[in-house]
Amino acid sequence: MPAKSLAEFIAAYKEEDVTSEAFELENDRLLEIRLNGSVWAKAGAMVARTGQVKFTRQGLLEQGLGNLLKKAVSGEGMVLMKVEGQGRVYLADAGKKITLLRLDGETIFANGNDVLALETGIDNQITMMKRVAGMMSGGLFNVRLSGKGIVAITSHYDPLILKVSAATGPVFTDPNATVAWSGTLQPEIATDISLKTFVGRGSGESIQMKFAGEGWVVVQPYEETYMQAGQS
C-alpha cells in the first residue's frame, strides 16, 4: 500500500458525525459519546475528550447496598465512572469490538467486564449465580441491565449469537467466552467431571454455563482472563 499524504491521512481517519444519536461508533473499536448531561462509562476507558467534562468514580450510595454486598462477597465488581458535562468523549477497551444495543424496557444480562458504557436510563444490578463462589478463579460476575436507553458492550472479535430453545435443548458456554444473554434466561453453573481429569486442567472447560429455556446467548471467539478487584 503506498504512503498517504497528510491530507489523505486526515481525510481517511477524521472524526465524522453520521447520526444525531448520543452514542455513535467512530469505528468498530471506538465509541464517541456526544455528552449533554451524564452517562456511565467503564473506568479507565476514555481515550480522548473535548469540552467541559467531569469524571467521577461511581460512589458507594450510587452502587446501592445490594451491589456493594455482592462485590464484597465476590471480591469483584464492575467499576464505573460518571461522565458529566457538555462535550465529546471517546471510549475504547483494549481494542475490543463495540456493539451498541438499544433497550426499550427490555432486560439483558452481560459479563460485567464487557460493559463499556450506558445511558442513565439504564439500571444496572450485579447478579450472582448459584454455585459460583469458590469455583471460579477468574472475574466471573454478571450485570442485569434494564430500562430505556443505549448500552455499549464489547467483545474480542465478532460475537456469535446462539439461540436457546426447549426444542433444541440447553446451550453450554465457557464463562470466559460468554459476553451477554437475554433477560429470559437464568443460567446455571455446570461441571464436567471427565474434563477435570485431564492433567493440568483444573478449570476452563470443566466449568461451564448452562442456558436452558427460550432466549439467546452471545459468545466471543476468545477466552478472556480477569483479575479480581484490588489486583494489578
Side-chain angles (χ1 to χ4, degrees):
M1 180 179 294
K4 286 183 171 63
S5 69
L6 286 179
E8 289 172 332
F9 175 70
I10 293 170
Y13 297 108
K14 68 179 180 181
E15 186 273 335
E16 290 186 318
D17 292 339
V18 178
T19 73
S20 59
E21 296 276 11
F23 283 31
E24 180 180 319
L25 293 180
E26 284 298 315
N27 57 56
D28 62 0
R29 317 275 171 168
L30 187 63
L31 171 64
E32 178 193 47
I33 298 178
R34 298 188 189 99
L35 187 65
N36 185 20
S38 65
V39 299
W40 290 104
K42 186 174 184 177
M46 188 209 79
V47 297
R49 71 173 178 88
T50 65
Q52 300 298 315
V53 180
K54 178 182 178 182
F55 300 88
T56 308
R57 187 184 177 96
Q58 187 179 29
L60 296 180
L61 293 178
E62 291 169 311
Q63 295 181 47
L65 180 59
N67 277 355
L68 283 176
L69 292 174
K70 290 167 185 174
K71 287 182 181 181
V73 170
S74 65
E76 303 157 356
M78 177 177 63
V79 182
L80 295 175
M81 58 183 178
K82 180 178 281 188
V83 186
E84 301 174 277
Q86 291 185 326
R88 301 196 178 204
V89 180
Y90 300 87
L91 305 177
D93 185 10
K96 295 164 67 176
K97 186 181 180 74
I98 303 169
T99 301
L100 299 182
L101 302 176
R102 185 187 303 279
L103 301 185
D104 187 16
E106 297 114 327
T107 296
I108 65 171
F109 291 87
N111 185 313
N113 193 60
D114 296 325
V115 178
L116 179 63
L118 49 104
E119 293 187 308
T120 53
I122 302 295
D123 179 64
N124 69 92
Q125 295 291 328
I126 294 175
T127 64
M128 299 181 70
M129 293 187 299
K130 297 178 181 178
R131 302 175 60 196
V132 170
M135 295 178 64
M136 296 295 295
S137 59
L140 176 66
F141 63 98
N142 306 306
V143 182
R144 181 181 185 271
L145 301 167
S146 60
K148 292 188 176 184
I150 297 176
V151 177
I153 63 172
T154 60
S155 62
H156 287 276
Y157 313 107
D158 291 334
L160 172 68
I161 299 179
L162 300 172
K163 184 178 180 180
V164 181
S165 70
T168 57
V171 172
F172 295 85
T173 66
D174 184 321
N176 291 335
T178 306
V179 175
W181 59 91
S182 58
T184 56
L185 299 177
Q186 295 293 330
E188 299 178 357
I189 290 294
T191 57
D192 190 320
I193 302 302
S194 62
L195 284 171
K196 278 186 176 181
T197 62
F198 286 139
V199 176
R201 297 289 292 180
S203 59
E205 285 79 8
S206 63
I207 299 175
Q208 304 162 2
M209 295 176 73
K210 176 185 178 182
F211 295 88
E214 300 290 335
W216 46 264
V217 58
V218 182
V219 295
Q220 61 185 359
Y222 185 95
E223 294 185 20
E224 196 159 11
T225 56
Y226 312 96
M227 292 184 180
Q228 291 188 343
Q231 291 183 321
S232 59

